[in-house]
Amino acid sequence: VYCCDAVDFEQDWEVGKGMGWLMDVLGEFEWADSEGQTFLFSNRSFCVQVAAMLSAFCRLLIPTGTPRPMIVWVANQQGSGKSVLAEGALAPVFGEVATTTNPESREEFTKLLDTAAINMRSYLFLDDAPGYVASGALNRFVTSRRHSGRIMGGQMEFDVPAVTQVLLTGNNLELTPDLMRRALAVELFLPGEIEGR
């Protein structure tokens, strides 16, 4: 793995030291179902976060046309750290992270997915999604090996391999069963009101 010299880091860490560092960095988040767990690597949401971080870092090792799982961060209230965790998966690889506004209409959402496919974007980060997410276009987008359609404003068509990973955050988010099967979820739970903390 090539890394430029701008960031100084030790290259001889054992797996245990790396895991300890990750637990230090991510241990302050309120992972759902982590009560009583002393080892965060046994928590499913924590492991999905690590998978999200690795999927961005290792994206070029995955052949084009390979469907990437959608990663979803969901919490019971604002201020849980959903966006911070999503950006934490992307920023080490891409630098400043670009978020996308969730389109109001089904047609606009399909245009957004088509644009991401045409431009072969590495990721599509939909931050602060509405409470209920249902989209046949998104179902197809995250499971298809290729994306095709008509370029807006003309007769030209496109056909490109899948390379885009979708990241989605939201409070009290509910996805259709089809979308949930296509996603890996990071669940956060903050006890009490965030303002009181």
Side-chain angles (χ1 to χ4, degrees):
V1 176
Y2 172 77
C3 294
C4 67
D5 293 333
V7 178
D8 188 33
F9 65 95
E10 298 174 45
Q11 298 184 31
D12 58 350
W13 279 14
E14 299 282 327
V15 171
K17 187 170 182 179
M19 290 170 67
W21 180 85
L22 270 177
M23 287 176 61
D24 276 350
V25 170
L26 301 174
E28 294 297 317
F29 290 92
E30 299 280 354
W31 307 98
D33 303 322
S34 64
E35 194 172 319
Q37 291 181 340
T38 56
F39 188 62
L40 280 176
F41 276 90
S42 60
N43 179 276
R44 183 190 48 78
S45 292
F46 179 87
C47 291
V48 172
Q49 175 65 30
V50 173
M53 295 163 71
L54 288 173
S55 68
F57 187 75
C58 299
R59 75 194 187 289
L60 297 178
L61 299 175
I62 301 170
T64 58
T66 303
R68 280 108 169 115
M70 180 170 67
I71 310 290
V72 177
W73 286 262
V74 62
N76 62 325
Q77 60 179 305
Q78 296 175 359
S80 61
K82 301 175 303 297
S83 299
V84 171
L85 287 169
E87 289 176 2
L90 297 171
V93 176
F94 300 104
E96 193 168 331
V97 176
T99 60
T100 304
T101 305
N102 294 286
E104 296 292 325
S105 71
R106 186 174 291 175
E107 293 78 24
E108 288 299 314
F109 192 69
T110 300
K111 288 178 188 176
L112 174 68
L113 295 175
D114 285 349
T115 301
I118 290 168
N119 292 311
M120 298 183 77
R121 289 185 55 182
S122 296
Y123 68 89
L124 180 62
F125 179 18
L126 301 165
D127 196 20
D128 201 21
Y132 184 70
V133 179
S135 170
L138 184 57
N139 285 349
R140 290 185 298 279
F141 191 82
V142 298
T143 56
S144 297
R145 294 185 174 278
R146 299 192 69 80
H147 304 297
S148 61
R150 186 173 58 85
I151 296 175
M152 293 177 284
Q155 299 302 315
M156 301 269 308
E157 294 184 351
F158 69 91
D159 181 56
V160 294
V163 296
T164 306
Q165 182 161 28
V166 178
L167 299 96
L168 182 73
T169 70
N171 291 314
N172 300 308
L173 195 60
E174 186 180 341
L175 279 70
T176 62
D178 279 346
L179 274 176
M180 206 57 221
R181 275 198 329 269
R182 292 163 168 82
L184 296 172
V186 175
E187 296 177 88
L188 301 168
F189 181 80
L190 290 176
E193 290 295 323
I194 190 66
E195 289 81 13
R197 298 177 74 234

